[in-house]
Amino acid sequence: MDAAPIIKIENVTKEFERRHVHTMKETLVWSLTGRRDQITERFRALDDVTLTVNEGDTMALLGFNGSGKSTLLKLISGVLREDAGYVGVRGRVAGLIEVGAGFHPDLTGKENIFLNGAILGMTKAQIENAYDDIVRFSEIEYAIDSEVKTYSSGMFLRLAFAVAVHTDPDIFLVDEILAVGDEPFQRKCLKRVRQLKEEGKSLVIVSHDLDMIADLCDRGIVLEKGRKVLDTTVREAVDYLR
């Protein structure tokens, strides 16, 4: 029998509320002019999406802004919950999706490594064994004993990515990998992601860099306005989007 999928998405729907006003004054004006029922509206970010990911799959989520890519990634990671349908995940999930999730600004970089590692399912012994490699990879040894709230956005991203790639994940999720740090650090991150691929890890990646996606992934899912419109090879998916 074939092995069970490592990720299973069945008929998943996710909705959000969009507000058209942002101040009390605007709310009052809209209410007095008979538009109270238009202050907010529901919109469907994902609409009846079904797909599976098997062990070792390297999958790109493609689509224009607002297509639902990041929402689907957050559902797989557990950052969000579906409104309808089913999301099932086997194994340890890690990645760079919701920057800041699992990090506390008042704790030092070192303390946050232990906190975030624990949230991602590592034992204290596992974190201690990986600690030196995490710090070395992040390239922020000089600030590791400083509070994270003093970090620049680049330093923060470096540490978050370093922790994520050292958790030995079964599934690695990335939203815009090339947003991480400067160009040399981006190249190092891409190299590490390729190593995860070679190790047989499952990858799900969102990026607008179609050349990088075509080089890194084997499979492409195209979303349009929350619906899956294509599930094929990454080359065909990239050509379709272009």
Side-chain angles (χ1 to χ4, degrees):
M1 294 179 63
D2 292 336
I6 199 165
I7 301 172
K8 191 171 187 179
I9 310 290
E10 289 184 334
N11 306 112
V12 165
T13 296
K14 181 65 180 178
E15 293 186 343
F16 295 100
E17 189 174 83
R18 180 186 290 128
R19 288 187 62 84
H20 295 292
V21 298
H22 304 285
T23 66
M24 289 295 293
K25 181 179 179 180
E26 288 176 333
T27 302
L28 180 61
V29 171
W30 279 54
S31 298
L32 294 175
T33 55
R35 294 183 290 169
R36 186 177 185 86
D37 60 343
Q38 301 174 31
I39 289 174
T40 62
E41 67 171 333
R42 300 287 295 180
F43 73 96
R44 188 161 289 186
L46 291 173
D47 188 1
D48 196 30
V49 173
T50 295
L51 61 92
T52 58
V53 178
N54 296 314
E55 290 187 34
D57 276 2
T58 54
M59 187 177 78
L61 292 178
L62 302 170
F64 298 115
N65 290 339
S67 61
K69 307 183 300 298
S70 294
T71 298
L72 184 54
L73 212 61
K74 290 176 183 178
L75 288 171
I76 295 170
S77 73
V79 172
L80 295 176
R81 295 295 180 195
E82 64 275 13
D83 294 324
Y86 170 78
V87 177
V89 178
R90 289 193 298 113
R92 178 181 291 161
V93 181
L96 199 61
I97 307 165
E98 192 77 354
V99 176
F103 279 77
H104 195 294
D106 292 327
L107 298 180
T108 66
K110 180 177 182 178
E111 291 167 334
N112 270 294
I113 288 174
F114 280 85
L115 173 63
N116 199 235
I119 290 172
L120 292 173
M122 298 177 75
T123 65
K124 184 179 180 182
Q126 288 173 326
I127 300 169
E128 288 174 342
N129 288 335
Y131 178 80
D132 288 342
D133 290 335
I134 291 171
V135 175
R136 192 178 303 111
F137 189 96
S138 72
E139 300 177 1
I140 58 167
E141 297 95 329
Y142 58 91
I144 204 66
D145 292 315
S146 299
E147 294 177 348
V148 164
K149 64 185 177 184
T150 66
Y151 285 12
S152 67
S153 58
M155 292 166 64
F156 190 93
L157 285 166
R158 284 168 179 258
L159 186 61
F161 192 91
V163 174
V165 295
H166 285 87
T167 59
D168 191 27
D170 301 296
I171 304 164
F172 195 70
L173 313 174
V174 188
D175 195 348
E176 291 300 348
I177 186 172
L178 292 182
V180 183
D182 53 27
E183 188 174 343
F185 193 74
Q186 291 170 9
R187 287 198 298 268
K188 185 162 75 168
C189 290
L190 281 170
K191 181 180 179 181
R192 180 64 181 128
V193 172
R194 287 193 176 93
Q195 288 174 348
L196 291 173
K197 177 181 178 178
E198 291 168 3
E199 292 167 7
K201 309 298 185 181
S202 298
L203 307 179
V204 183
I205 298 176
V206 169
S207 178
H208 288 96
D209 187 329
L210 298 182
D211 291 329
M212 184 271 290
I213 283 290
D215 179 58
L216 190 61
C217 299
D218 299 317
R219 178 181 168 199
I221 302 284
V222 179
L223 299 175
E224 290 182 3
K225 297 180 179 179
R227 297 189 67 88
K228 186 183 77 173
V229 297
L230 198 63
D231 183 347
T232 183
T233 66
V234 71
R235 293 287 178 180
E236 289 181 352
V238 166
D239 288 344
Y240 175 88
L241 197 64
R242 280 176 167 156

